[in-house]
Amino acid sequence: MTSPIRVRFAPSPTGYLHVGGLRTALYNYLFAKKHQGAFILRIEDTDRDRFLDGALESLVRSLEGIGLVPTEGVMLLEDPNISERAVSRHSDTYPGVSEVGSHGPYIQSERLHIYRKYAEKLIASGHAYRCFCSRERLDLLREKQTANHEAPKYDKLCASLSSEEVADRIAAGEPSVVRLNVPRERGDIVFHDLVRGDVCIHANNVDDQILVKTDGYPTYHLASVVDDHLMEVTHVIRGEEWLPSTPKHVLLYEAFGWEPPIFAHLTLLLNPDKSKLSKRQGDVAVEDYLSKGYLPEALINFVAFLGWNPGQGSTKEVFSLSELAEAFDFAQVNKAGAVFDTRKLDWLNAQYIKAMTVEELTRKALPFLRQKTYFVSAPDERKTDDYLHRVVTIGQERLTVLSAIGDEHTFLFTEPDVDPSLLPWKGNSPEETAEALENAKRILTDVTDSDWTRERLGEILLEAAGEKRGDFLWPLRVALSGAKQSPPPQDIAWVIGKTYTLSRISSALESLT
Ligand code: GLU
């Protein structure tokens, strides 16, 4: 029997979830789901200089909030799913999270004793050595190598120290690091990558990487290899920026005598001008997109297509998370960088908005409406469920992000200031305009409550307009909205109701005299 698929998303908590990180997490999640495997969330927090209070919790919250709930590893304490799972341990250092699964701890800063043990093993077997070189010496070495047009690399000076000398210098309190002893004679290091095919790097081009820093903390390289092995990770799916590190990892697997996992390196996300996706050119944090009113489902759908497509000539673009899991395959993951085009995201978001029920859209849009002053100051009768459902009904078709709800339709919440010069239809006189408005007022006064629906009002007004649509409907629409552009008058009339409709027509008529 082949062993079950186990993948991990292993972020370093830097304060927010980057959209590139979301893509990595998503591909891991999809691959695990497709193969009924485990999706592990491991936290790589061994870089103490980058420690930020609360960053880990907010990262886990973003991930879970968007629907990528791990099956194993770190979870939020308040996670509703967690009560159904056996919590295996609580984090010692992070009060907001706990862990599920038998391969923990899943937070690297809580695994230091493990890395220490494996670093000692490597030293004992000659695959690693202690290095006492000062910063000054290393800087000088780098300068010399750069001047000679050589790739900067440690020159193995400390690799030949005797174990007695090493012991003496440690006893004397001299600071040291542990370095990987790259066997230069090893020649080509070849590994297979699910995205890039065979990758080959010569051992001469691999530096004697620091594995343990002077503060005793492991570097990413040692910690991730040890963890991936101990956590029985079968596939390492991560960003392309880690590709140059992989030969070092392959050497570590060899040094330990472990079988390496299968690697898949995902290409960079690019700005539309093909530069690397950067904060300067737009938002990169998942939270920024959610707070602008992009739906988690749309963001997931969008991110899935950054470097993947369903193939086989499929033109389907709207995919739910489970449909994505079913369709996902590394054979369809691209080698070329993926352009982060927010116009596509807008389009997808609009598709999800259109597909929602009015009730659901109202519920999701309400938190955004509550932040608008025109809504806050609106009378209570314009905040009822019925009223808001009508507002949402006429806005749904054109809405791209939830945060824009109401912005083009403020006249549904406050009485508009109508500019009388806007009321006449092309070349019409104020008298002709007043006549059209009087006519509309008379017709609308006679409409019964049961006929005051979007459809009926549309029929009644179109019939009344006859051939002269613009002459009749334009002044009415402006009278009701005060705006150059707005939904058709029947829609506005339906939302604001008969009383306000008639009073707005009367005000417009007064302004014409
Ligand atoms: N901690 C690394 C990061 O922040 C993880 C790299 C990997 O997946 O091996 O991206």
Side-chain angles (χ1 to χ4, degrees):
M1 201 187 96
T2 50
S3 52
I5 299 275
R6 290 173 62 79
V7 296
R8 84 307 190 267
F9 177 50
S12 304
T14 51
Y16 63 91
L17 178 57
H18 190 285
V19 284
L22 174 63
R23 201 249 326 240
T24 303
L26 177 62
Y27 284 13
N28 273 286
Y29 175 93
L30 297 177
F31 190 67
K33 267 272 172 308
K34 172 153 189 163
H35 298 282
Q36 286 102 43
F39 170 56
I40 305 166
L41 177 61
R42 179 171 80 217
I43 299 297
E44 304 206 330
D45 62 341
T46 57
D47 190 348
R48 306 315 281 170
D49 296 341
R50 289 164 74 193
F51 182 81
L52 249 176
D53 223 11
L56 183 148
E57 287 84 350
S58 87
L59 190 135
V60 183
R61 188 167 295 116
S62 294
L63 209 57
E64 293 196 14
I66 205 150
L68 303 186
V69 181
T71 48
E72 188 177 320
V74 179
M75 296 185 83
L76 280 185
L77 263 186
E78 75 232 32
D79 186 323
N81 301 295
I82 208 158
S83 53
E84 296 158 22
R85 318 269 198 93
V87 171
S88 44
R89 61 185 289 283
H90 292 284
S91 165
D92 303 332
T93 28
Y94 301 97
V97 298
S98 58
E99 296 184 349
V100 168
S102 54
H103 292 68
Y106 294 90
I107 299 176
Q108 288 189 331
S109 63
E110 297 178 4
R111 298 172 62 82
L112 299 179
H113 56 290
I114 301 174
Y115 309 127
R116 215 162 285 142
K117 184 176 99 190
Y118 283 100
E120 288 309 327
K121 274 192 180 182
L122 288 177
I123 295 174
S125 64
H127 292 101
Y129 58 91
R130 287 217 170 255
C131 169
F132 297 88
C133 287
S134 64
R135 177 102 317 265
E136 292 69 36
R137 175 170 193 277
L138 295 174
D139 287 346
L140 219 64
L141 186 64
R142 174 165 306 122
E143 272 168 38
K144 250 200 254 161
Q145 289 169 329
T146 317
N148 290 340
H149 305 291
E150 292 166 24
K153 212 161 48 191
Y154 181 61
D155 62 358
K156 284 189 187 282
L157 180 73
C158 291
S160 50
L161 295 176
S162 69
S163 45
E164 291 75 27
E165 188 174 344
V166 169
D168 288 349
R169 289 172 79 167
I170 290 177
E174 216 181 304
S176 65
V177 299
V178 177
R179 281 185 188 274
L180 173 65
N181 197 1
V182 174
R184 302 270 172 247
E185 69 293 348
R186 164 77 170 64
D188 282 341
I189 303 166
V190 183
F191 59 91
H192 186 74
D193 187 283
L194 285 184
V195 180
R196 335 211 111 227
D198 285 338
V199 180
C200 172
I201 294 177
H202 197 278
N204 273 339
N205 298 324
V206 181
D207 195 8
D208 280 9
Q209 177 66 50
I210 295 179
L211 301 175
V212 180
K213 295 174 277 187
T214 43
D215 63 4
Y217 275 79
T219 57
Y220 154 71
H221 307 279
L222 176 66
S224 74
V225 166
V226 167
D227 288 352
D228 286 340
H229 174 73
L230 295 180
M231 294 178 186
E232 300 182 272
V233 168
T234 56
H235 296 71
V236 165
I237 304 165
R238 62 185 168 201
E240 189 177 61
E241 63 273 31
W242 303 107
L243 191 65
S245 302
T246 308
K248 297 169 189 169
H249 301 177
V250 171
L251 291 178
L252 280 169
Y253 282 102
E254 283 179 7
F256 284 122
W258 297 337
E259 193 193 331
I262 293 166
F263 296 101
H265 288 91
L266 311 175
T267 54
L268 291 177
L269 298 188
L270 306 173
N271 291 304
D273 68 1
K274 301 282 161 79
S275 58
K276 191 177 161 194
L277 188 70
S278 68
K279 239 187 152 99
R280 256 181 313 114
Q281 299 204 27
D283 290 321
V284 291
V286 168
E287 292 78 357
D288 293 338
Y289 286 95
L290 297 180
S291 65
K292 274 193 193 160
Y294 289 98
L295 297 157
E297 308 86 291
L299 197 54
I300 290 270
N301 196 156
F302 170 67
V303 164
F305 273 77
L306 294 174
W308 170 84
N309 64 72
Q312 288 156 353
S314 166
T315 50
K316 182 171 153 75
E317 291 188 280
V318 179
F319 278 78
S320 68
L321 193 55
S322 53
E323 286 173 327
L324 285 171
E326 200 157 303
F328 187 77
D329 187 348
F330 271 104
Q332 295 300 131
V333 172
N334 302 334
K335 283 191 193 59
V339 174
F340 194 89
D341 180 359
T342 48
R343 283 171 310 182
K344 179 78 188 289
L345 175 59
D346 285 346
W347 179 82
L348 267 173
N349 209 50
Q351 305 310 306
Y352 280 86
I353 286 178
K354 281 195 192 94
M356 268 192 240
T357 64
V358 169
E359 290 72 20
E360 192 185 2
L361 180 54
T362 307
R363 195 165 38 76
K364 295 203 166 151
L366 196 55
F368 293 94
L369 260 183
R370 288 209 176 102
Q371 292 169 29
K372 322 267 183 186
T373 43
Y374 60 78
F375 178 79
V376 175
S377 57
D380 285 348
E381 60 183 319
R382 289 181 179 160
K383 293 176 181 167
T384 64
D385 285 349
D386 279 350
Y387 193 88
L388 294 177
H389 288 163
R390 294 201 294 276
V391 171
V392 165
T393 303
I394 68 166
Q396 184 166 18
E397 195 57 30
R398 280 169 49 91
L399 192 64
T400 46
V401 285
L402 296 180
S403 59
I405 186 88
D407 287 356
E408 286 182 10
H409 302 159
T410 54
F411 48 81
L412 300 176
F413 296 100
T414 53
E415 290 312 293
D417 264 338
V418 181
D419 172 1
S421 70
L422 210 61
L423 284 166
W425 172 247
K426 287 180 191 157
N428 282 356
S429 66
E431 291 70 28
E432 288 165 315
T433 307
E435 201 186 312
L437 284 173
E438 288 287 6
N439 196 9
K441 192 173 166 187
R442 208 175 34 250
I443 291 165
L444 288 168
T445 307
D446 288 344
V447 177
T448 58
D449 280 356
S450 62
D451 269 350
W452 202 270
T453 64
R454 196 182 183 195
E455 293 71 27
R456 275 301 290 142
L457 285 166
E459 287 164 10
I460 292 166
L461 291 177
L462 279 183
E463 199 192 307
E467 303 277 283
K468 303 192 126 198
R469 279 206 181 183
D471 306 71
F472 180 69
L473 296 175
W474 173 273
L476 177 59
R477 196 187 57 66
V478 175
L480 298 184
S481 68
K484 276 197 184 120
Q485 281 180 345
S486 72
Q490 64 268 24
D491 285 2
I492 307 174
W494 173 59
V495 175
I496 63 177
K498 190 168 178 176
T499 311
Y500 283 104
T501 299
L502 297 179
S503 74
R504 285 187 192 183
I505 300 174
S506 300
S507 310
L509 277 166
E510 272 166 42
S511 76
L512 280 171
T513 52

